[in-house]
Amino acid sequence: MSQNELSIPGISTPASRVALGTWAIGGWMWGGPDDDNAIRTIHRALDEGINLIDTAPVYGFGHSEEVIGRALDGRRDKVILATKVGLNWKDEKPFRDSTPGRIRQEIEDSLRRLKTDYIDIYQVHWPDDKTPIAETAETLAALVKEGKVRALGVSNYSVEQMETFRAHAPLAVVQPPYNLFERGIEKDILPYMEKHKLIGLAYGPLCRGLLAGKMTSQTVFPKDDLRSADPKFQAPRFEQYLAAVDKLRAIADKHGKSLMVLAIRWVLDQGPLIALWGARKPEQITGVSDVFGWNLTAEDKAEIDRILKETIPDPVGPEFMAPPNR
Ligand code: NAP
């Protein structure tokens, strides 16, 4: 196995440490779908050596999974497919539901949309306070036994919730938010993952495009784009985050890399992590190989932390995204 891959318990092929995130491909909260570009993006990702694709039923209310199913026709066995479970929706408004009945319904819907008879990594999208975690985990463990799922994961779970889950089902993967600006997992989740040999799929590694380095204070987002509701993209914080981006660029330049590549490399250098690069146009997913074959030094990391402390006095996390309970 190369340094560019990680082995996930239950999955026979090693996973590429850069994976494709497909929330935007679903269209919802990203200004609408564009299927031709989405399919070309998925094919480009495979050509670039990416072999893990992350999706969820809620991304476009089935649309992201459907587009992936179409794009992978004839290539299913080349890809590690990760999808999720545990969100329901009404009138395009999601809410948490990890009841056994909902899980049984969702697995069949996802298999149909993805045109496959198994899911490689099946992750609970958000913890559901109204359903005992034991019931959720035991239903998912049964899906593994039935051959419908190869490995289990949880997303947005606390350490305590993971402890309960692991008492009832084998846990292989954790999907937390993690990027240069959103560091909440460092205090407990990252050490827990390392201790229990869990693989992390880091979501938002480019912080919803901020770390792609192409935004300015003039950038305007459509009303149905999630960045319109994200406190990082509102004054006065937006200017502060953009100032940090400008300063971080000097570290990327020193290595002869783009800021985007630096942001992804930083995530991979923090632990047993795979970065979910969110893209919806093929030209966005070029240069994946630039992420590999080098590392950030301890001095680089210290300089990054100094820049962040200096430019962002009141950092804010991705909590605005949390869907409501039933
Ligand atoms: P992300 O990967 O941090 O950033 C995506 C953004 O980066 C988009 O705005 C895109 O721009 C921009 N971008 C990507 N490549 C670019 C390039 N080459 N040049 C310029 N801009 C570029 O954010 P994300 O999509 O929120 O997160 C990634 C994935 O993580 C999702 O797709 C999803 O699979 C997963 N996720 C999971 C959860 C969860 O609760 N489990 C939550 C959020 C995300 P455009 O806007 O121009 O396309």
Side-chain angles (χ1 to χ4, degrees):
M1 196 171 61
S2 86
Q3 287 183 325
N4 310 344
E5 298 171 326
L6 275 179
S7 184
I8 300 176
I11 312 285
S12 53
T13 322
S16 55
R17 293 194 70 194
V18 173
L20 179 66
T22 64
W23 182 5
I25 277 174
W28 166 71
M29 291 191 86
W30 290 89
D34 173 348
D35 294 357
D36 287 347
N37 260 326
I39 287 173
R40 289 194 296 121
T41 306
I42 293 163
H43 293 164
R44 173 70 66 85
L46 301 185
D47 293 345
E48 288 274 335
I50 288 175
N51 73 348
L52 194 160
I53 300 179
D54 179 72
T55 184
V58 77
Y59 298 163
F61 309 106
H63 195 67
S64 175
E65 288 190 331
E66 271 166 18
V67 170
I68 293 167
R70 267 189 270 149
L72 293 185
D73 205 11
R75 305 200 208 185
R76 165 68 185 97
D77 58 339
K78 306 272 181 288
V79 174
I80 299 171
L81 259 184
T83 192
K84 307 190 189 82
V85 63
L87 288 183
N88 201 342
W89 57 84
K90 191 161 189 269
D91 303 329
E92 304 208 339
K93 291 197 174 55
F95 55 91
R96 305 174 195 216
D97 184 350
S98 294
T99 50
R102 175 67 186 160
I103 294 173
R104 285 283 171 192
Q105 171 71 52
E106 280 202 81
I107 182 75
E108 299 308 327
D109 290 346
S110 288
L111 291 173
R112 188 189 68 251
R113 289 190 289 247
L114 289 163
K115 295 187 199 295
T116 184
D117 54 8
Y118 67 97
I119 304 295
D120 293 286
I121 306 173
Y122 206 38
Q123 307 155 101
V124 184
H125 206 150
W126 283 86
D128 169 7
D129 293 347
K130 298 204 167 154
T131 305
I133 287 177
E135 279 183 23
T136 300
E138 280 162 13
T139 310
L140 293 171
L143 294 182
V144 177
K145 286 215 177 78
E146 290 162 27
K148 293 182 174 175
V149 167
R150 300 259 154 100
L152 298 176
V154 294
S155 184
N156 303 300
Y157 264 45
S158 67
V159 163
E160 200 187 356
Q161 289 164 331
M162 285 192 270
E163 272 293 284
T164 310
F165 188 99
R166 287 177 58 249
H168 298 273
L171 184 64
V173 165
V174 179
Q175 187 173 139
Y178 195 44
N179 60 60
L180 275 163
F181 294 144
E182 294 172 335
R183 310 268 295 264
I185 69 167
E186 288 173 6
K187 63 178 182 312
D188 53 358
I189 294 190
L190 202 47
Y192 185 83
M193 283 168 45
E194 278 166 349
K195 182 169 171 203
H196 296 286
K197 300 198 172 8
L198 304 172
I199 301 296
L201 305 189
Y203 78 69
L206 301 174
C207 201
R208 297 170 288 290
L210 252 181
L211 287 161
K214 294 182 184 158
M215 290 178 187
T216 69
S217 54
Q218 308 309 311
T219 304
V220 180
F221 303 100
K223 206 164 161 269
D224 63 341
D225 186 301
L226 79 159
R227 276 115 11 140
S228 296
D230 184 337
K232 279 194 185 61
F233 294 80
Q234 324 301 325
R237 281 202 179 91
F238 193 31
E239 296 283 353
Q240 295 163 3
Y241 281 97
L242 290 173
V245 163
D246 263 350
K247 291 185 177 166
L248 292 171
R249 225 185 285 274
I251 301 172
D253 287 348
K254 199 178 82 185
H255 289 279
K257 305 287 182 189
S258 67
L259 174 72
M260 194 166 56
V261 165
L262 172 99
I264 303 265
R265 183 68 253 167
W266 180 89
V267 168
L268 302 189
D269 281 347
Q270 299 297 106
L273 291 155
I274 290 170
L276 298 180
W277 185 327
R280 51 178 155 179
K281 297 183 209 119
E283 60 272 21
Q284 290 176 323
I285 206 85
T286 49
V288 173
S289 57
D290 268 8
V291 171
F292 301 117
W294 66 290
N295 296 95
L296 288 161
T297 63
E299 291 75 39
D300 292 330
K301 288 189 186 181
E303 175 65 1
I304 286 171
D305 289 350
R306 197 191 55 73
I307 291 172
L308 300 183
K309 209 167 160 212
E310 197 177 273
T311 42
I312 307 165
D314 182 22
V316 61
E319 299 77 15
F320 78 100
M321 271 192 232
N325 287 309
R326 260 171 290 152

